[in-house]
Amino acid sequence: MPNDVLTKTESNPKVKFDPFSKLDFALYNKAISNKKIFYWILLAVLSYTFYEPIKTLCTVIFIKPALKSIPITYIMDLIVFGLFVYTCFFVFNKLSKQLLPSINSFAYFALGLAFYFILWRPDDSLRFYGFKCCSSLFYSDVIVFCLLILTMHYKTFKSQLSKKGNASLIEDSDISIKENDHYYRTGYANKVATRIEATTTHNSFGIGIFAEWGQGKTDFLKRLYSALSENQEENILVQFNPWRINNGDLIVDDFFKTLANSLKPYHATIADKINSYSKKIFQTSKEASFRLIDTIIDDFIDEPSVTERYDTINTYIKSTGKRIIVFIDDLDRLTASEILEVLRIIRNTANFSNTFFVVAIDHNYVIETLKKTNLIGKEKEYLKKIFQLVLTLPTFKKEVISNQIKEYIKTKLSSEEDIDSLNIIIDSLSYKSTSISTAVLEGISSDNILENLLNNLRDVKRFCNSFLIQFDILREEVHWTDLFLIELIKAKSYEVYCLIESKKIFTADENNYDSFKLLEPELKQSLENLSFSPKEQIWITKTIEALLDKNAYGHIRRFKLVSNFYLYFSYQLFNDKLSMKKFREVITDNNDVIIETFKEWIEDGFYYELDKIMDSYSIPIGLESLEKYGVLFLRLEDETNTRWFNRATSLFINRYTLLAVGNEKLTIGRKAFRNVVGDNSLTAYSRARFVSAFVRANNQEDFKSLSEGTLFSTEELLKMIYKLFKEFLSTIPNYNFTVQDFLRFNSEQQRESPGNNRRLNIALNSTRLLKKFLLNNEFQFGVYLLFMLRKSSGDESGTYFFDPFAGQIFNGTDEFLNQLKNYDSDNQYFKMAKDIIIKYFDRYYPAQLQFKVDPADKDEIEMLIDYRVGEFEQKE
C-alpha cells in the first residue's frame, strides 16, 4: 500500500446556496439591451392603443371557448396552486445554479404585470374566476404571474475566474507585451514599424519573420502590432489566423471576410465588393458542373470580371488614405495545401495597394512541407518572390532562460528558503555559473546545461509547469537537484525521459549494487535513433551523467540509488520508505513524541532507513537543540535497543571539542552538556556512560593538543560520574554487572598489568563508595560474591576468573580476603561462593590470570552462576 503522505487530497467543500456570492454587478448592468426594452415598451403602447380589438380577439378565440367550462372547486384551486409551487421550485433551481433573470427580463416581467393589472383585471366586461377558498384572488392572477416568471430569461453573471494563488499554471501567452520584454525586442519592433509607416506600395508587400519554433515569433508580432496600433489614423491592422479554419478550401473566403469586416468602417460599400470578389475567386475552384451553371447565368446577367472587381477594391483601398497591415501567425501549423493558399493570398488574390502582410514563419518547416507536394520546383526561390523583406529575430541573452525560471519560481513558491535553494541549483546549471565547487550539484562542469536543454521561453514555461507540480508533491522526499535534472530532460525530450523511466539505459553498478550505472552504448544508440544532433546528444548525456554523479553525496534520496528510483516517477512512497516530510514534522516535536514515533518506525523495520535520514539531517546549533537531541539520542539508545549513543557524543565532541576552540560556543556546549547529564528522564547509567566517552576522548593523543578547548577536564568529568554512581547505588535492588561498568566509567587511564592483562586505574572515591555499599549490607556483599565468579568467554574447558576490581575496591586483595573469611550468611549460595573464591583465590590474585578448576568444583560453580543469572542478573 502506498504511503498517503503524497497522495492525500483535500475534499471539495460543499456548495452553499448563495446566488449572489460571485455576481459581477458591472457585467450584470452591461447586459441591458436598450433595443429589447424599446421593443417591450413599443409592444405595451400598441397593446394599450389597440386594447379593444385585442380583447375581442382573445375573448372569441381563447376566453369563452376554453375557460367558460372551468369549474370553481377546491380541486381546481389545488391545480392552480400546484402551478405556483412548481414556479417557486423552478426559480429556486435557477438561483441555486447562480442563474439570474436579466434586467431585460425584469422589464418584460414588469410590463406584463402592469398590462394585466391596469388593463385586464379591472375590466368589468371580463369575467374572472376566483379561488373557491378566496374569491378575491383570481386564477388568472396566479397563472399570469407564473407564466411571466417561467418565460423570463435566466443566465449567469458571475465574475471572471481568477488565478488561485501560487498554484496556478504558467500560461504560454504574453498578456502584457510592454512589461514582459523577455527577449529585449521592443526597440527592434519599433524600428520595423517606423519603416512600414514610411512606405506606400502599388502592390502588396510581404514581410517574413523567419525563426525556428519557439524562438519568439508570436511575441515579436505582438510587439510590432502594438507599435503600429499607435498610429490609427494611417494604419488598419488585421489579424488573420488561418490555422483556426479546419477546411483549407475556406481559407481564402475567411481571409476576405476578415478583411471586409476590418475595412467596412472606412468605406460603406467596400465590404460587399470584397465579398463578391471572394465569391468570384471561389468560382474557379468549383466543380465543372457548377462552373457551367455560373457561365450560363453570366450570359444573361452582365457581371464584372475578377480583374474588374480587383481594380474596384484597389481603388477603394487607396481612397481610404490608409495602409492595411495583415498579421499572419502560426503558418508552420498548416498543411502544405493550406500554406500554398495563404501564400497565394499574399502574392496574388490580395495583391492590393498599400497592403502589407507580416507573416511569422518557420522557414525550414515550410520548405520541407512544400517539397512534399511536388507542386513547386524551387521552394526557396518561391518564398523569395513572396517576401520582399525577411526579418530574423535578434538573438537573446542566454541569461534570459535562467532568469525567467527564477522569476516563475519566485512567483509560485512562498518559502524564501526554498526559492534560495532552487536558485543555487539554477545557478549551478546555468550559463552564468563559473564555479561549481560550492554548488549543490557537485561534479558537473560549469557548462550551461540549462540553456542547452531549454532553447526558448516556451520550453521554460513547459518545464516550470511540470517541475513545480512535481516539486510540490516530492519536495520533502527527493533530492531537488536530481528532480530538477529529470524535469529538464522531460522538457527537452519525452522520449529520453521514457528511456530513464523504463531503466533501459541503466544497470546496477558492480561496485555498489544499490547504485545505477549508465549503459553508454545503449544511450548513444537511442539518441541517434531519435535523430538528435551531435550537440544535443552531448548535453543530454551530460545531464544523465549528472544524475549518476559518483562524487555527489550527502542526500539519502539521490536518484542514483536504486532504492530511490520509483520516488521520482511514482510520486508516492511505498512501504520500504519513510516519509521525509513526516520525519521533519516529528523531529521538531518534543522528545516524548519523537521517541514514540521512532519506536513505531523501528518496530516496522525502518531502523536503517531512519539511521540514513539522521545522517543527512542537520541539527541546529544552539543550547536548546544540543540539550534536546543529546537527551533524545541517549533515551533512544536505552528504550529502543538500537544504536544512538555515538550520535549523542558526536554532538559535543565534533562541534565543541574540535571546532569550537576558544569562542563562545564552548560556553554553550558546557551548559548544554551539564543539562544533559542532569536530565532525570535518563538513567544514571546512561548519563555516566555518556560522560565517560569524554573521559576517553581527553586521554586520546589527538586531543592532547586541544586540551584548552575540551568541554571539561578529566577531573571534572570523573566528579560527574561519581555523583551519578552514588545516585545509581541508592536505587539498585542488588549489586550487578552494571556496577562494574560504572567503575570502568570512573577510570582515568589504562595501564599494563602483569600477564598482559589491561588494568583500569579506577578513581579512589568510587571504590570507597562501593566498598561502603558492600560492607554495610550483608546481602549485597553476598550477591557481590556471586558476581565475582566469571567464566571465560567461549571456553568450554572450565577456565574462570574473578572480579578484577576487587583489589581496588577493598584497598588490596589481602584486605578483601580478610573480609571474605570473616563473612557469614544464612544463604547457602553465598556460602558456596565464599568457599570457592577462598579455594582458588591464590590462583587468580595478584597476577589476575585465568585459572582452571577441579572437575568436582565445576558443577558447583556452574550452579552458582545459574542461580545468579536467575535471581539477580534479570533484575539489572
Side-chain angles (χ1 to χ4, degrees):
M1 292 294 291
N3 192 318
D4 66 351
V5 67
L6 300 179
T7 58
K8 184 178 180 181
T9 57
E10 296 180 359
S11 58
N12 293 325
K14 293 183 179 179
V15 179
K16 296 181 179 180
F17 177 72
D18 187 2
F20 305 104
S21 60
K22 296 183 179 180
L23 178 63
D24 188 339
F25 287 98
L27 182 64
Y28 189 75
N29 294 330
K30 288 181 181 179
I32 298 175
S33 173
N34 295 329
K35 190 175 182 180
K36 284 188 177 181
I37 293 177
F38 171 76
Y39 287 153
W40 288 123
I41 295 174
L42 179 62
L43 181 62
V45 172
L46 292 174
S47 299
Y48 179 77
T49 304
F50 299 101
Y51 170 68
E52 289 298 331
I54 294 173
K55 181 182 72 171
T56 303
L57 183 64
C58 291
T59 301
V60 173
I61 295 176
F62 178 69
I63 296 176
K64 287 184 177 181
L67 301 180
K68 66 180 181 179
S69 59
I70 293 178
I72 303 176
T73 63
Y74 288 112
I75 295 177
M76 195 64 197
D77 288 359
L78 289 175
I79 293 174
V80 177
F81 180 73
L83 175 62
F84 176 77
V85 173
Y86 169 78
T87 303
C88 292
F89 276 108
F90 175 83
V91 173
F92 179 81
N93 182 54
K94 293 293 184 181
L95 294 179
S96 65
K97 297 177 180 179
Q98 294 188 327
L99 299 175
L100 302 177
S102 64
I103 294 181
N104 297 327
S105 294
F106 277 120
Y108 151 77
F109 177 76
L111 289 172
L113 284 183
F115 182 80
Y116 171 75
F117 281 101
I118 295 174
L119 295 179
W120 285 77
R121 201 175 192 279
D123 194 336
D124 294 333
S125 64
L126 297 175
R127 182 188 174 192
F128 291 92
Y129 295 93
F131 279 81
K132 180 74 173 177
C133 61
C134 181
S135 59
S136 62
L137 181 64
F138 298 156
Y139 289 157
S140 59
D141 296 345
V142 176
I143 293 173
V144 170
F145 176 82
C146 291
L147 289 178
L148 290 174
I149 290 291
L150 294 174
T151 54
M152 291 173 72
H153 182 57
Y154 297 84
K155 58 187 296 187
T156 181
F157 297 94
K158 293 181 181 179
S159 57
Q160 293 185 2
L161 293 174
S162 59
K163 294 182 178 181
K164 297 181 178 179
N166 297 337
S168 61
L169 296 172
I170 302 167
E171 184 182 2
D172 186 18
S173 66
D174 292 308
I175 303 300
S176 178
I177 290 296
K178 293 184 179 180
E179 294 180 1
N180 300 319
D181 189 7
H182 303 302
Y183 293 108
Y184 303 102
R185 292 171 179 169
T186 299
Y188 185 51
N190 292 338
K191 289 293 184 182
V192 175
T194 301
R195 293 283 183 172
I196 293 174
E197 290 178 339
T199 306
T200 58
T201 66
H202 295 288
N203 298 308
S204 64
F205 194 97
I207 301 174
I209 311 298
F210 284 16
E212 294 182 358
W213 182 89
Q215 294 300 314
K217 298 188 296 295
T218 300
D219 176 84
F220 182 77
L221 281 184
K222 290 181 178 180
R223 296 185 188 282
L224 183 57
Y225 184 95
S226 177
L228 292 168
S229 64
E230 295 179 0
N231 185 7
Q232 296 184 2
E233 293 183 1
E234 296 184 0
N235 300 331
I236 299 175
L237 306 184
V238 181
Q239 290 186 321
F240 177 55
N241 299 301
W243 61 273
R244 292 179 178 173
I245 305 168
N246 56 12
N247 188 339
D249 295 335
L250 299 178
I251 287 179
V252 175
D253 184 55
D254 186 74
F255 168 76
F256 282 108
K257 285 181 179 179
T258 303
L259 182 63
N261 291 333
S262 300
L263 294 176
K264 190 174 183 180
Y266 305 99
H267 199 289
T269 61
I270 195 171
D272 294 334
K273 297 296 182 182
I274 291 176
N275 288 331
S276 63
Y277 174 67
S278 174
K279 291 178 181 178
K280 199 67 178 177
I281 293 174
F282 255 114
Q283 182 181 353
T284 60
S285 64
K286 294 179 181 178
E287 295 180 5
S289 58
F290 290 98
R291 291 202 300 270
L292 177 61
I293 296 173
D294 289 335
T295 303
I296 295 172
I297 294 173
D298 289 343
D299 290 338
F300 291 95
I301 303 174
D302 187 15
E303 288 283 335
S305 66
V306 172
T307 302
E308 291 172 338
R309 295 173 192 268
Y310 167 82
D311 291 338
T312 300
I313 295 172
N314 208 23
T315 301
Y316 284 172
I317 289 176
K318 290 179 180 178
S319 67
T320 62
K322 296 178 181 291
R323 68 177 57 83
I324 302 169
I325 306 168
V326 182
F327 291 85
I328 302 177
D329 194 8
D330 299 314
L331 200 66
D332 43 20
R333 296 187 185 185
L334 303 181
T335 62
S337 61
E338 292 170 341
I339 292 174
L340 282 174
E341 289 293 341
V342 174
L343 296 179
R344 284 169 183 161
I345 289 173
I346 298 172
R347 195 58 180 164
N348 297 323
T349 54
N351 190 22
F352 303 122
S353 300
N354 297 327
T355 301
F356 297 81
F357 289 90
V358 184
V359 186
I361 182 173
D362 184 337
H363 181 265
N364 294 332
Y365 172 83
V366 172
I367 293 296
E368 293 300 321
T369 303
L370 292 178
K371 283 182 179 180
K372 297 176 182 178
T373 64
N374 295 321
L375 297 175
I376 301 174
K378 298 179 179 179
E379 293 80 9
K380 294 182 180 179
E381 295 300 321
Y382 181 76
L383 284 184
K384 288 181 180 179
K385 293 179 180 180
I386 300 296
F387 299 108
Q388 293 95 314
L389 172 63
V390 173
L391 297 176
T392 56
L393 298 180
T395 302
F396 58 89
K397 294 181 178 180
K398 288 295 185 180
E399 289 88 342
V400 170
I401 298 293
S402 58
N403 290 341
Q404 197 56 41
I405 293 177
K406 289 181 180 180
E407 184 64 27
Y408 287 140
I409 287 175
K410 183 178 180 180
T411 59
K412 298 302 178 182
L413 297 181
S414 57
S415 171
E416 291 294 333
E417 183 179 354
D418 288 355
I419 294 172
D420 292 341
S421 298
L422 289 174
N423 285 344
I424 293 175
I425 296 174
I426 294 170
D427 287 339
S428 71
L429 299 171
S430 67
Y431 180 78
K432 293 185 296 184
S433 178
T434 57
S435 176
I436 307 300
S437 59
T438 59
V440 174
L441 185 64
E442 298 178 357
I444 297 181
S445 66
S446 58
D447 294 327
N448 47 323
I449 286 179
L450 191 64
E451 287 81 5
N452 279 281
L453 293 189
L454 302 179
N455 299 322
N456 50 68
L457 292 186
R458 186 170 292 169
D459 287 347
V460 168
K461 293 173 183 177
R462 290 171 54 245
F463 164 78
C464 288
N465 279 328
S466 179
F467 172 76
L468 288 169
I469 291 175
Q470 313 311 335
F471 182 77
D472 185 45
I473 298 172
L474 299 172
R475 66 178 300 278
E476 303 282 354
E477 310 300 337
V478 299
H479 189 235
W480 292 6
T481 303
D482 288 350
L483 180 64
F484 198 94
L485 290 170
I486 290 173
E487 290 300 320
L488 277 177
I489 292 172
K490 185 199 291 184
K492 176 64 178 179
S493 169
Y494 177 72
E495 291 82 2
V496 177
Y497 175 82
C498 290
L499 287 176
I500 297 174
E501 186 179 24
S502 62
K503 295 189 286 190
K504 292 181 179 179
I505 55 175
F506 299 133
T507 187
D509 191 338
E510 60 271 13
N511 298 321
N512 184 359
Y513 287 103
D514 191 35
S515 295
F516 281 122
K517 179 182 178 181
L518 179 62
L519 298 174
E520 295 183 6
E522 285 79 356
L523 175 60
K524 183 178 180 181
Q525 184 62 51
S526 297
L527 296 180
E528 289 177 354
N529 293 340
L530 292 172
S531 302
F532 285 108
S533 66
K535 180 181 177 181
E536 289 176 318
Q537 292 183 37
I538 291 173
W539 289 109
I540 292 173
T541 303
K542 277 179 173 287
T543 308
I544 296 176
E545 288 174 346
L547 285 172
L548 308 180
D549 180 28
K550 295 181 180 180
N551 298 321
Y553 297 101
H555 198 286
I556 68 166
R557 293 289 168 82
R558 284 297 311 272
F559 170 82
K560 67 179 181 179
L561 300 177
V562 176
S563 58
N564 294 331
F565 175 82
Y566 288 104
L567 277 176
Y568 290 86
F569 298 100
S570 64
Y571 314 134
Q572 60 187 351
L573 293 177
F574 293 92
N575 285 340
D576 61 338
K577 294 290 181 186
L578 282 178
S579 167
M580 296 287 287
K581 181 179 180 180
K582 281 189 175 179
F583 169 81
R584 290 189 176 94
E585 290 173 353
V586 169
I587 201 66
T588 57
D589 212 322
N590 63 69
N591 280 352
D592 291 334
V593 173
I594 296 174
I595 290 171
E596 288 304 314
T597 306
F598 278 23
K599 281 182 178 179
E600 293 177 6
W601 289 344
I602 292 170
E603 289 174 0
D604 292 338
F606 288 115
Y607 169 69
Y608 292 106
E609 175 79 4
L610 184 59
D611 190 51
K612 290 180 180 179
I613 293 176
M614 285 304 311
D615 285 340
S616 64
Y617 179 69
S618 179
I619 295 175
I621 298 177
L623 176 63
E624 293 183 0
S625 61
L626 281 175
E627 180 181 349
K628 171 185 175 177
Y629 291 106
V631 172
L632 172 66
F633 294 144
L634 294 178
R635 285 185 61 184
L636 285 170
E637 178 86 9
D638 289 342
E639 300 180 31
T640 64
N641 197 30
T642 50
R643 298 179 180 179
W644 298 90
F645 182 79
N646 288 340
R647 293 191 184 279
T649 57
S650 64
L651 283 176
F652 296 88
I653 292 178
N654 291 345
R655 296 181 181 220
Y656 292 98
T657 303
L658 296 177
L659 303 180
V661 176
N663 60 36
E664 70 278 1
K665 291 183 179 179
L666 185 62
T667 303
I668 297 175
R670 288 173 62 88
K671 188 172 182 180
F673 188 93
R674 288 189 182 278
N675 290 342
V676 171
V677 175
D679 194 302
N680 291 326
S681 66
L682 299 169
T683 63
Y685 174 83
S686 179
R687 287 176 280 165
R689 181 190 176 197
F690 173 70
V691 177
S692 70
F694 293 85
V695 176
R696 293 194 302 273
N698 284 355
N699 291 332
Q700 292 176 7
E701 292 295 329
D702 294 340
F703 286 86
K704 287 183 178 180
S705 61
L706 299 172
S707 58
E708 70 277 11
T710 56
L711 283 176
F712 298 96
S713 66
T714 301
E715 182 180 358
E716 291 175 302
L717 295 171
L718 291 177
K719 286 181 179 180
M720 294 181 194
I721 296 175
Y722 172 77
K723 184 178 179 180
L724 292 170
F725 187 31
K726 189 174 183 180
E727 176 186 333
F728 176 75
L729 291 179
S730 66
T731 59
I732 59 173
N734 57 262
Y735 180 94
N736 51 53
F737 284 131
T738 307
V739 176
Q740 294 196 355
D741 289 338
F742 265 95
L743 296 179
R744 293 188 181 92
F745 298 157
N746 219 336
S747 59
E748 183 175 0
Q749 60 184 0
Q750 295 181 336
R751 62 180 177 83
E752 295 295 333
S753 62
N756 293 324
N757 288 323
R758 300 184 69 84
R759 183 178 180 183
L760 298 178
N761 185 19
I762 302 171
L764 185 60
N765 56 359
S766 294
T767 57
R768 289 175 178 175
L769 180 64
L770 180 57
K771 177 181 177 182
K772 182 178 179 181
F773 172 78
L774 296 176
L775 296 182
N776 289 346
N777 190 315
E778 178 185 313
F779 173 77
Q780 295 293 358
F781 188 81
V783 174
Y784 172 70
L785 296 181
L786 291 175
F787 276 89
M788 282 197 66
L789 301 173
R790 316 284 176 84
K791 185 177 182 180
S792 299
S793 177
D795 190 350
E796 300 296 334
S797 61
T799 302
Y800 297 89
F801 63 96
F802 294 143
D803 176 19
F805 301 140
Q808 295 188 62
I809 295 172
F810 293 94
N811 299 326
T813 54
D814 292 338
E815 182 178 343
F816 171 64
L817 184 59
N818 291 331
Q819 294 289 347
L820 187 62
K821 292 178 179 179
N822 295 327
Y823 175 72
D824 188 24
S825 175
D826 294 333
N827 188 307
Q828 60 175 339
Y829 294 100
F830 295 168
K831 291 181 178 180
M832 292 169 60
K834 169 187 172 181
D835 295 339
I836 290 294
I837 294 171
I838 292 174
K839 181 176 181 179
Y840 294 99
F841 191 87
D842 293 335
R843 296 191 187 183
Y844 184 70
Y845 296 109
Q848 295 187 3
L849 298 175
Q850 297 179 4
F851 58 89
K852 290 183 178 295
V853 299
D854 299 337
D857 295 328
K858 183 177 179 181
D859 292 339
E860 185 175 335
I861 294 175
E862 292 295 331
M863 180 185 68
L864 291 173
I865 293 175
D866 291 341
Y867 173 72
R868 179 190 73 203
V869 172
E871 290 294 322
F872 302 109
E873 288 188 22
Q874 295 178 359
K875 299 178 182 180
E876 292 185 24

